Amino acid sequence: MDGVLTGIAVAAQPVNIAFCFLGVLMGTLVGVLPGIGPIATISLLLPLTAQLDPAAAVIMVSGIYYGAAYGGSTTSILVRIPGEAATVVTCIDGHAMAQQGRAGTALAMAAIGSFVAGTVGTVGIGLLSEPIMRHAVRLGPPEYFALMLLGVLMVIFFSSGAIVKSLAMVVLGLFLSQIGQDIVTGEARFTGGSLELIDGIDLVPLAMGLFGISEVLLNLEGPARATPAPLPWSRLMPSREEWRESAGPIARGSLMGFFLGLIPGGGPTLASFASYAAERALSRKPETFGHGALAGVAGPESANNSAASGSFIPLLTLGIPGNAVMALILGAMILHGVSPGPMLMQERPEVFWGVVVSMYLGNLMLLILNLPLIGLWVQLLRLPYRLLFPAILLLTLVGTYATTRSVFDLLVLIGSGLAGYLLRKLGYELAPLILAFVLGGQLEQTFRQSVLMGGGSLGIFVERPAALILLLVGALFIIVPLSGAVNRSRLRVSAAE
Amino acid sequence: MTAPQKRGMSPDTLSGGALMLLGGAITFAAAGAGIGTLGDPDTGFLAFHLGIALAACGGLVAVVGWVRRAPGDRLRERFRGSGRSLEVIALLIVYSLLLERMGFPLTTFVLLWLLSGGLDRRRRWRAAGYAVALTAATYLLFEVVLDSGLPAGGWF
């Protein structure tokens, strides 16, 4: 209770309210605009946050993250282009609803479900963080390694398409994280003699290229984007039956998303896919999925927002970023001398609780912003794509250059964009790659520490029960689908798209 | 009656083969860097095993791609319409290489003009207007507001 009061005192400061609003507004904007996402925006604003108080900085970048989850649904529903990765699945039934003249219902349910889920997530953070932190101090390198590996394997399981292809992407991501200086020996590895690669490949250009530029390139090839019709306010309100129909998916999505967000490697994208699959499995009318099922929007949208909140827990309590955006938020915290982990709540309670309470405020702001401003976002999307995409590409390029001041990183950005484009054309998932890249350094470090602890053998992972259980669960997530049982249902999910 | 389409090399077989080659190259490079042992890993220890894993995954993708190849699923079909995307990539590369030499305003204007249809006679002037406006707005945001230090290139 003391913590919550501390949080309210911090979050209610006018400057923090202002930065929370700025964060969620920017998050919504980048969520709406395809090709530029929270990763790009947060990385662009990192230098700016250096001028701010630590709590204000983290509040703002957090707002961008969960704000993007709200905004992405708008473009997914109206023009079937995911504003960001977590809203890909909303394109399926959300756009189908729009084509049936039910865009308002889809948008309203996405916003309301997101608010409910965000609230659930915020409460969950408040309730679970302290117990997790108390136990986290007992975790050692073997447990951390197993936890991170489980997260990566779960991403493989929940990604669409072939398991083996996703596994290949994980391996590739882990290799890319190897490029640079060896943390133990200090030797340069796989740099090809390039001085720019001594510090490794920068996350910002890699992620922006893989996701942002490849998205633009793919959109250029598609049929001319349908411009959304104007949307009167009166058509936003769902009917009573639609409320009833959405209640279950929102509740399930909120809980499922929160727990999936807890897992390193989990997060909004994973949660949204899992929720969609679950709602389809539970539905009495599964044949409606893919053709405008409200549960196919309400569930995933709730799940992705709840997961956005849940994914803060591994970062704040364990210091483990669960996904690429969390890695950037970790960067923002370190920039301000804040070390997330088991001691954060004790050493910097104003930062921890300020961020948690501001999430609730931010979710409230987003609900208020998103419904009345839908008209504005619709206008933005009515811009011809041939005018929109140059702006997106330019922001991506200049954003990268402004952050790194390096032409080499621009070339990495473009190269990643080309690679991402080729991989997606060939049916490879990019989320496993980027997650493995983010976690690669820590995976290697904890693995080496574990093996040292075990006297040079892998037996340490068997001797530590928690690590063993996590590794066995992770193995199941790969073995079961490879056996063929789950692949069939995964193929059905993919076919519906 | 149309002749049945031949089942040639599928994109999966080709991409799997590429991954095998990449995995092999990584393994070879890692071996050169030194592998060490589990108890005393050298610089290339993890990469060596990752290379093997990547090659194995690539092999599986290639084999499954070969067995399940469908008629008409060729690389050419998969990449039909990629010309525009490759043009954009080429433009972005040239932009990046010239950015610091020619400066932000000029290179950005030219890039935006070309991307928004400047070579189309009907859109030439509208594209130019759009390019000027967006260049100015971006310059204002990054240089004036965020003080990012964009290259002037000696022109401004």
Side-chain angles (χ1 to χ4, degrees):
Chain A
M1 195 58 190
D2 286 342
V4 173
L5 291 173
T6 303
I8 292 172
V10 171
Q13 289 173 20
V15 64
N16 289 335
I17 291 176
F19 279 108
C20 183
F21 178 78
L22 192 62
V24 300
L25 183 66
M26 279 193 294
T28 305
L29 178 63
V30 299
V32 168
L33 285 176
I36 182 164
I39 292 178
T41 313
I42 292 171
S43 62
L44 179 66
L45 292 172
L46 271 177
L48 181 67
T49 65
Q51 316 295 330
L52 303 176
D53 174 75
V58 181
I59 284 170
M60 187 176 78
V61 296
S62 305
I64 293 171
Y65 179 45
Y66 53 84
Y70 271 77
S73 60
T74 304
T75 185
S76 294
I77 290 165
L78 294 180
V79 289
R80 210 178 194 266
I81 295 177
E84 54 128 24
T87 58
V88 164
V89 77
T90 305
C91 288
I92 306 169
D93 283 275
H95 189 62
M97 287 180 69
Q99 287 177 319
Q100 294 163 8
R102 299 162 64 206
T105 304
L107 289 165
M109 273 308 161
I112 293 163
S114 298
F115 172 72
V116 171
T119 305
V120 167
T122 307
V123 170
I125 293 176
L127 290 175
L128 287 183
S129 293
E130 205 167 342
I132 289 176
M133 281 176 169
R134 259 188 277 118
H135 289 95
V137 289
R138 295 186 215 162
L139 296 181
E143 288 78 21
Y144 272 98
F145 173 79
L147 200 53
M148 285 187 281
L149 188 61
L150 172 64
V152 171
L153 294 175
M154 286 187 74
V155 168
I156 295 174
F157 178 81
F158 283 113
S159 59
S160 59
I163 289 270
V164 172
K165 284 183 168 180
S166 298
L167 193 55
M169 290 299 98
V170 165
V171 174
L172 187 58
L174 289 173
F175 170 70
L176 290 175
S177 75
Q178 294 275 292
I179 296 172
Q181 208 168 28
D182 186 332
I183 47 171
V184 175
T185 65
E187 283 178 42
R189 52 187 182 185
F190 313 109
T191 61
S194 162
L195 284 173
E196 285 92 349
L197 285 175
I198 286 287
D199 290 329
I201 297 175
D202 206 298
L203 172 64
V204 168
L206 180 70
M208 287 168 69
L210 282 175
F211 288 100
I213 292 189
S214 70
E215 182 70 32
V216 171
L217 296 177
L218 286 168
N219 288 337
L220 282 176
E221 293 179 8
R225 180 164 54 94
T227 49
L231 200 60
W233 169 253
S234 59
R235 292 175 61 192
L236 284 177
M237 288 299 111
S239 67
R240 195 178 294 180
E241 191 177 325
E242 283 164 341
W243 280 109
R244 255 200 311 268
E245 201 182 324
S246 307
I250 288 174
R252 286 188 290 270
S254 300
L255 288 172
M256 179 188 296
F258 180 74
F259 286 104
L260 285 175
L262 286 178
I263 301 164
T269 307
L270 173 66
S272 61
F273 276 99
S275 173
Y276 188 85
E279 290 305 320
R280 201 160 85 162
L282 291 168
S283 172
R284 272 177 262 179
K285 296 183 211 168
E287 68 280 0
T288 60
F289 278 71
H291 306 288
L294 186 53
V297 173
E301 281 299 315
S302 303
N304 78 30
N305 272 273
S306 188
S309 302
S311 58
F312 276 90
I313 289 187
L315 175 68
L316 296 175
T317 62
L318 303 174
I320 297 176
N323 53 53
V325 178
M326 288 296 123
L328 286 176
I329 295 177
L330 172 66
M333 294 177 91
I334 290 171
L335 208 63
H336 287 84
V338 176
S339 299
M343 304 309 292
L344 179 66
M345 204 186 277
Q346 287 178 2
E347 291 173 359
R348 301 298 293 265
E350 77 284 0
V351 174
F352 179 85
W353 288 109
V355 170
V356 172
V357 173
S358 76
M359 278 185 194
Y360 182 76
L361 285 177
N363 273 291
L364 195 58
M365 288 179 193
L366 282 164
L367 183 67
I368 295 167
L369 266 178
N370 273 274
L371 290 180
L373 289 187
I374 278 172
L376 175 65
W377 309 133
V378 168
Q379 289 306 315
L380 207 61
L381 288 170
R382 290 169 69 81
L383 283 174
Y385 197 66
R386 62 176 171 77
L387 296 181
L388 207 52
F389 89 87
I392 294 168
L393 285 177
L394 181 66
L395 283 174
T396 310
L397 285 165
V398 181
T400 300
Y401 187 82
T403 310
T404 65
R405 303 272 182 96
S406 164
V407 172
F408 180 81
D409 280 343
L410 283 184
L411 296 173
V412 169
L413 169 74
I414 297 164
S416 303
L418 180 60
Y421 167 76
L422 293 172
L423 287 169
R424 289 172 74 173
K425 283 288 237 184
L426 292 167
Y428 290 84
E429 289 284 313
L430 298 178
L433 191 157
I434 202 70
L435 284 163
F437 176 80
V438 169
L439 292 175
Q442 289 184 67
L443 274 166
E444 184 187 9
Q445 189 173 358
T446 50
F447 179 77
R448 280 178 157 178
Q449 288 169 340
S450 303
V451 169
L452 268 174
M453 286 169 66
S457 87
L458 296 174
I460 186 76
F461 295 109
V462 179
E463 292 162 18
R464 308 272 285 224
L468 179 63
I469 290 168
L470 289 168
L471 288 173
L472 287 173
V473 170
L476 281 174
F477 274 102
I478 294 297
I479 293 168
V480 168
L482 280 176
S483 71
V486 177
N487 262 333
R488 285 191 288 274
S489 61
R490 282 156 54 84
L491 284 171
R492 283 201 293 273
V493 172
S494 304
E497 295 164 22
Chain B
M1 190 161 92
T2 54
Q5 284 181 304
K6 285 187 188 172
R7 296 196 306 167
M9 199 81 81
S10 78
D12 277 357
T13 306
L14 289 166
S15 67
L19 286 176
M20 284 177 68
L21 282 173
L22 179 60
I26 292 170
T27 307
F28 182 76
I35 304 168
T37 60
L38 184 64
D40 183 25
D42 208 339
T43 304
F45 178 83
L46 188 57
F48 179 81
H49 293 90
L50 287 174
I52 293 173
L54 188 61
C57 290
L60 267 170
V61 170
V63 166
V64 172
W66 179 259
V67 167
R68 291 187 185 175
R69 67 194 190 282
D73 185 19
R74 304 277 194 103
L75 206 63
R76 191 182 294 176
E77 293 304 312
R78 198 71 76 90
F79 285 91
R80 192 181 289 274
S82 293
R84 176 77 172 129
S85 301
L86 296 175
E87 279 171 19
V88 169
I89 288 286
L91 273 174
L92 295 181
I93 291 172
V94 171
Y95 173 82
S96 303
L97 294 173
L98 292 177
L99 178 64
E100 288 185 340
R101 289 174 200 228
M102 305 291 286
F104 173 82
L106 181 63
T107 48
T108 304
F109 168 76
V110 172
L111 174 72
L112 290 173
W113 184 70
L114 289 170
L115 288 177
S116 51
L119 293 179
D120 183 341
R121 200 177 286 179
R122 292 168 300 173
R123 291 184 187 147
R124 191 175 295 169
W125 296 111
R126 266 183 289 176
Y130 177 69
V132 166
L134 193 53
T135 302
T138 315
Y139 183 84
L140 195 69
L141 175 63
F142 284 90
E143 185 66 13
V144 177
V145 175
L146 297 176
D147 193 23
S148 303
L150 297 175
W155 295 88
F156 297 92

